[in-house]
Amino acid sequence: MIEQTLVLIKPDGVLRGIIGNIITRFENAGLKIVASKMQWIDKDFSKKHYSEHLEKAFYSGLETYITAGPVMAMVLEGNDVIEVVRKMVGSTEPKTALPGTIRGDYAHISTKHANENKKSVCNLIHASSNIQDASREIMLWFDPRDMYTYKRSGDEWME
Ligand code: GDP
Ligand code: MG
């Protein structure tokens, strides 16, 4: 089923200059970028985006991390894209993220926010985890007027 998902290249990805490497993976996989923008979010916006984690012990570290610099936000579209992108991203903890995943290939780096209780796991990227989250997150980040429908070459091979 054709779906859409929200992806954020988090501040560590932007500040390390690896936006292009990450986006290339999605393009190579045949996923379509239907919206994108750079945004430096504030604490209020972080609380909305991460509403499900507000009560968690790691939330304050997560908020510091996600507001530490701009993020590159995008909406990706494709067949079963929510699950496909989660697989490409890899598991939350970079140590256990498999080689070949984005976190497994780029996030094995010790950062000042990593591995302390109240700080956050710097793992480069956010991707919606299910269809409800995807639709809520896309509405939070993007105005429908800034999302585009277009055909990529190769789309004629898809059902
Ligand atoms: P994700 O969906 O794989 O990004 O993981 P979650 O939704 O569970 O958590 C959101 C983000 O919070 C993660 O990507 C990490 O940056 C951070 N995080 C998650 N779990 C922990 C944790 O146990 N400790 C710390 N310090 N940060 C965490
Ligand atoms: Mg999550």
Side-chain angles (χ1 to χ4, degrees):
M1 191 177 61
I2 300 286
E3 299 171 341
Q4 294 183 334
T5 192
L6 180 85
V7 166
L8 306 176
I9 301 175
K10 292 174 171 178
D12 46 341
V14 175
L15 301 179
R16 284 171 58 195
I18 55 174
I19 293 172
N21 300 52
I22 295 172
I23 291 181
T24 294
R25 289 182 173 225
F26 295 128
E27 287 193 311
N28 287 346
L31 307 180
K32 193 185 290 182
I33 302 166
V34 297
S36 78
K37 66 175 170 185
M38 183 171 273
Q39 190 170 328
W40 195 327
I41 66 167
D42 61 15
K43 292 180 177 196
D44 285 345
F45 198 93
S46 168
K47 290 184 177 75
K48 288 184 190 148
H49 174 73
Y50 279 128
S51 52
E52 80 271 28
H53 295 314
L54 276 180
E55 309 302 322
K56 308 263 170 72
F58 62 82
Y59 178 74
S60 76
L62 175 56
E63 188 179 80
T64 304
Y65 167 38
I66 202 68
T67 60
V71 306
M72 191 72 203
M74 68 201 87
V75 177
L76 298 180
E77 186 179 278
N79 255 327
D80 299 323
V81 74
I82 297 171
E83 188 191 341
V84 169
V85 169
R86 290 289 294 190
K87 275 194 191 145
M88 291 176 72
V89 163
S91 55
T92 305
E93 173 65 55
K95 247 189 331 206
T96 58
L98 292 175
T101 64
I102 293 166
R103 286 169 174 165
D105 287 349
Y106 290 103
H108 289 278
I109 179 167
S110 141
T111 67
K112 64 180 179 173
H113 294 301
N115 301 325
E116 287 171 44
N117 269 347
K118 64 190 221 339
K119 304 253 173 108
S120 201
V121 175
C122 289
N123 53 11
L124 282 177
I125 188 158
H126 165 84
S128 309
S129 52
N130 56 55
I131 211 154
Q132 290 79 15
D133 285 357
S135 103
R136 183 185 71 80
E137 292 171 3
I138 291 168
M139 276 199 293
L140 175 65
W141 283 83
F142 286 94
D143 186 318
R145 283 173 301 185
D146 295 325
M147 295 173 56
Y148 298 97
T149 307
Y150 60 95
K151 283 206 185 302
R152 265 175 58 140
S153 68
D155 280 358
E156 65 271 22
W157 298 101
M158 287 176 64
E159 291 186 312

